[in-house]
Amino acid sequence: MEEEVKFKFEELQVYQKALDFVDIAYELALLFPKSEIYNLTSQYKRAAVSIALNIAEGAGDTNAQFNRFLQIAIDSVKECVVCSTIAFRQKYITKKQELENRGKLAELSKMISSLQKYLRK
């Protein structure tokens, strides 16, 4: 049996939280109507995936480069907030789901910002 190969970025808690959010986004996107498949559904899932991808892509690079990728990840967090708000306003998700979403996104944003501050030192 082969041993699983681990990459350094996979050890980052913020990366793991980003993956957790991808799971949530995909789950919620299933509630959106079929008419949104190429619009909000696609945008929401891509923005959620972008958070994890940018954390992974920037990790291990120079601090300045990693910081740049983390900024893109924060921009994707904001995109997810807007998608979540639209989904709620269109009644695709409940207020409870939107609030939970915003809580997870706020936590991710804080974690990414903290990592940025650490990298600037």
Side-chain angles (χ1 to χ4, degrees):
M1 189 163 165
E2 288 191 42
E3 190 175 320
E4 184 180 1
V5 176
K6 284 276 189 188
F7 290 85
K8 201 84 174 141
F9 67 84
E10 291 177 297
E11 295 171 14
L12 294 172
Q13 188 179 9
V14 67
Y15 170 76
Q16 293 301 325
K17 291 273 186 191
L19 286 182
D20 291 344
F21 187 76
V22 170
D23 294 340
I24 291 165
Y26 270 69
E27 197 175 298
L28 284 179
L30 293 172
L31 303 173
F32 299 178
K34 294 278 182 260
S35 61
E36 289 289 357
I37 198 153
Y38 298 112
N39 299 312
L40 189 62
T41 304
S42 174
Q43 190 66 36
Y44 189 42
K45 287 160 64 172
R46 281 185 289 123
V49 168
S50 174
I51 300 166
L53 286 175
N54 279 290
I55 293 167
E57 195 171 346
D61 211 330
T62 65
N63 285 0
Q65 278 293 91
F66 193 14
N67 231 323
R68 191 173 66 79
F69 281 103
L70 290 174
Q71 190 54 54
I72 297 167
I74 284 180
D75 294 342
S76 295
V77 166
K78 292 175 190 170
E79 217 177 318
C80 286
V81 169
V82 175
C83 288
S84 182
T85 302
I86 292 168
F88 170 68
R89 290 174 63 134
Q90 293 301 310
K91 297 177 179 53
Y92 303 156
I93 63 173
T94 66
K95 186 66 178 173
K96 181 177 187 278
Q97 288 168 316
E98 192 208 6
L99 291 173
E100 287 173 1
N101 241 7
R102 294 175 85 82
K104 301 267 187 222
L105 289 164
E107 180 185 19
L108 257 174
S109 183
K110 284 177 190 159
M111 290 176 82
I112 295 167
S113 294
S114 293
L115 184 51
Q116 283 184 304
K117 283 182 189 123
Y118 171 78
L119 292 172
R120 283 190 206 111
K121 288 181 181 174

